[in-house]
Amino acid sequence: WANRWHQFCRRNFYRMQLPIEKAVKPYVGRNTLKFIRALGVFGASSLFHFFIPYGARNDGTHIVFFEQTVILFFMSQPFGLLFEDVIVNPMTEKLPGHWKALVRRTWFWSWIMYTGRWYVDSYLLYGLFRDPPWNKVVLEAVGWDKPKTWLAEGAVAAYPSGS
């Protein structure tokens, strides 16, 4: 499911960023264009993912469409890709195949687990993980059982959970 879904969305998000790519292409180099393309694709993806917490919980107490933590997660991904291209891949190029794969996968999963908390925060703020087994099994196991504010202090108080 995930492969088919992301392949479908990848095409659409790529097309959504094409006007930006065409506008900057004459002025930037190939590597810069690749980074701008990634920013555009992840930006389009973040717009799509706004609708999940927005549509899933709308009890009148907190209606937020522009969720900062969603943007932070998706817009940080091109920087992770850049770090991987500039630092991780060159450092691991001469390693044996299995070690290269291990280091690169460790980098990937570390980046996703670290930045993923920003995306999960939007779900927690809206109370979307209240029902077991999510609360007890997954979120508490990884220490994500309480929403954290990574952008501004007091934002959690602005979005009451209703519990």
Side-chain angles (χ1 to χ4, degrees), residues 39-155:
L39 283 172
V41 167
F42 280 104
S45 183
S46 71
L47 292 175
F48 175 77
H49 284 86
F50 278 154
F51 290 107
I52 295 171
Y54 180 77
R57 172 104 181 196
N58 185 354
D59 62 6
T61 60
H62 49 277
I63 302 171
V64 175
F65 177 70
F66 188 77
E67 195 62 63
Q68 292 175 334
T69 58
V70 173
I71 291 175
L72 183 59
F73 170 72
F74 282 97
M75 297 312 289
S76 70
Q77 299 314 302
F79 293 97
L81 291 171
L82 179 65
F83 186 85
E84 183 176 5
D85 282 348
V86 173
I87 305 292
V88 177
N89 290 347
M91 278 180 27
T92 59
E93 196 56 42
K94 295 187 186 217
L95 291 175
H98 63 285
W99 286 107
K100 181 191 316 186
L102 178 66
V103 171
R104 289 179 180 186
R105 286 182 181 145
T106 301
W107 156 252
F108 167 77
W109 283 109
S110 298
W111 181 258
I112 289 297
M113 292 301 290
Y114 181 79
T115 61
R117 65 187 181 171
W118 299 323
Y119 187 54
V120 171
D121 275 353
S122 66
Y123 285 80
L124 293 173
L125 289 172
Y126 286 89
L128 298 178
F129 284 141
R130 279 201 197 118
D131 297 326
W134 291 104
N135 267 357
K136 302 295 178 206
V137 177
V138 177
L139 296 177
E140 289 178 5
V142 296
W144 289 349
D145 56 322
K146 306 252 186 296
K148 295 168 183 65
T149 304
W150 309 107
L151 298 176
E153 290 186 24

